[in-house]
Amino acid sequence: MTSMDDFQPLDLLACYGTDATARAITWLTASALAPRRLRLGPSHVAVICKHHDSPLWLESTTLCPHPCAVLGFKIDGVQAHLPELRIHDYVNAGGRVDVYRLSPVDRLSQIESELLSKILVRHFIGQRVTYDLGGALLSGTRLFKQTRLLPAADLNELFCSELVAKVLMRLGRLNRANPTRYNPACLLRQVVREGTFQFERSYSPEVTAC
């Protein structure tokens, strides 16, 4: 079982789905040289912020069946949900969610936590930022990441790892660059290798069954 107290602002959620698209993303972004838990990359990534003193799961997606917890209706793009609801979606389907947390020296101040919430809830959800399918398809290709063909970031359309990368850059936990270059796997690998984030725990069918 998950508790609302289990999450901190800027926790990253590495999501491993079980449908054909999710499995394809995981295997196409696999790397034998990655940190152990990230050799098979996640198919999706989300981030936690606090809103009205409660943690919210923020993500950019077109695949969530639930209404946004902030807007009250189902949308495609940046949206918010209760963490336990989205974790249940993955675990119930046979997948898993790994939580990565800021290292102690990188934890957010209260002012940074409030800024995180403003960025995610007031700006990205408030401005109805939509999902960037084209950017998501290109982000995993080595060709585009290694050339100048990578499209410029468009903050009116964001895919999941582009959203998280932009937030990390704004809060100084990731060097400034084009956020479009990051897929879920390479983003998590970079922040773990740099020591900014550490694996915290995992939610999976095996764990929840214990």
Side-chain angles (χ1 to χ4, degrees):
M1 297 292 291
T2 61
S3 166
M4 298 294 268
D5 296 329
D6 290 340
F7 302 99
Q8 295 182 8
L10 211 61
D11 278 354
L12 301 185
L13 300 314
C15 308
Y16 293 79
T18 56
D19 60 82
T21 300
R23 290 183 182 275
I25 294 170
T26 290
W27 284 102
L28 288 172
T29 59
S31 173
L33 301 178
R36 184 177 61 84
R37 291 193 68 90
L38 291 167
R39 290 172 186 165
L40 290 179
S43 56
H44 183 63
V45 64
V47 61
I48 295 290
C49 77
K50 277 199 171 181
H51 184 58
H52 298 316
D53 294 324
S54 295
L56 280 182
W57 166 304
L58 270 290
E59 63 185 329
S60 185
T61 184
T62 62
L63 301 176
C64 181
H66 311 295
C68 172
V70 173
L71 297 176
F73 51 85
K74 186 180 181 301
I75 58 173
D76 290 339
V78 181
Q79 54 196 273
H81 303 283
L82 296 179
E84 60 265 36
L85 179 65
R86 293 298 282 137
I87 288 172
H88 178 267
D89 288 341
Y90 278 92
V91 172
N92 194 51
R96 81 172 196 266
V97 176
D98 287 350
V99 179
Y100 287 85
R101 180 159 294 167
L102 285 164
S103 63
V105 298
D106 288 302
R107 297 282 163 82
L108 297 187
S109 66
Q110 181 61 35
I111 292 176
E112 288 176 316
S113 178
E114 292 171 0
L115 176 59
L116 172 66
S117 299
K118 289 179 181 178
I119 293 170
L120 290 171
V121 177
R122 292 188 187 177
H123 179 74
F124 288 125
I125 291 181
Q127 296 296 319
R128 306 284 182 87
V129 172
T130 57
Y131 186 79
D132 180 11
L133 177 60
L137 295 174
L138 292 177
S139 70
T141 62
R142 290 182 174 85
L143 171 63
F144 279 85
K145 288 197 294 184
Q146 294 174 358
T147 71
R148 296 182 181 179
L149 297 176
L150 192 69
D154 179 358
L155 298 187
N156 295 309
E157 292 184 334
L158 295 168
F159 55 92
C160 66
S161 47
E162 187 180 19
L163 168 69
V164 176
K166 183 60 181 178
V167 169
L168 293 178
M169 291 174 194
R170 176 65 180 84
L171 293 171
R173 269 63 177 184
L174 183 67
N175 288 337
R176 291 278 184 172
N178 186 343
T180 306
R181 72 181 296 271
Y182 289 100
N183 59 51
C186 71
L187 177 60
L188 266 296
R189 288 164 185 158
Q190 179 166 329
V191 296
V192 169
R193 285 192 180 110
E194 292 175 350
T196 310
F197 284 82
Q198 303 168 344
F199 172 75
E200 178 70 16
R201 63 181 171 278
S202 183
Y203 297 97
S204 66
E206 294 78 13
V207 172
T208 55
C210 294

